[in-house]
Amino acid sequence: IARAFLGVRYESITPELQAEKQLSVGYGVLIAPGQGENEPAITPGSGAEKAGLKQGDIILEAGSEKITLENTLGKIIRKHFPGESLSLKVLRGQETLTIQAILGERAE
């Protein structure tokens, strides 16, 4: 079974994270590095990197679905297949962008 892979590490935006980081939105996911030094925010060579996503971007929607604590980015990606194009609504600073990312295949 092939599973789709975007290639981002992220934190779900909670009211606490929104307050701590002074974010302008209360939903979506913040692209952020993992805890270890070998855990970059964007996986090299991934669909996310090729699409131009950056650490600090906030993904608000994926495939026209709003990302919430109940409707997570992971749940949305699992509805798709490797090789599919996924439209992402991204907040970068004060600018809202629409980015197309080609999903890769998750290595098990």
Side-chain angles (χ1 to χ4, degrees), residues 38-61:
N38 292 326
E39 297 181 5
I42 307 291
T43 303
S46 67
E49 182 185 60
K50 291 173 185 170
L53 289 171
K54 300 181 183 326
Q55 181 174 319
D57 284 351
I58 297 173
I59 304 174
L60 303 171
E61 295 179 9

Side-chain angles (χ1 to χ4, degrees), residues 10-19 23-31 57-62 64-73 76 89-91 96:
Y10 59 86
E11 295 179 67
S12 294
I13 296 178
T14 61
E16 296 78 20
L17 184 65
Q18 182 184 12
L23 303 174
S24 61
V25 293
Y27 68 98
V29 294
L30 174 65
I31 299 177
D57 284 351
I58 297 173
I59 304 174
L60 303 171
E61 295 179 9
S64 300
E65 291 187 61
K66 184 176 178 177
I67 299 169
T68 64
L69 295 175
E70 295 78 30
N71 192 38
T72 65
L73 179 59
I76 295 168
K89 183 175 174 183
V90 176
L91 183 63
T96 303

Side-chain angles (χ1 to χ4, degrees), residues 73-85:
L73 179 59
K75 278 185 186 175
I76 295 168
I77 290 173
R78 282 193 293 274
K79 296 176 187 175
H80 298 273
F81 298 97
E84 277 188 51
S85 177

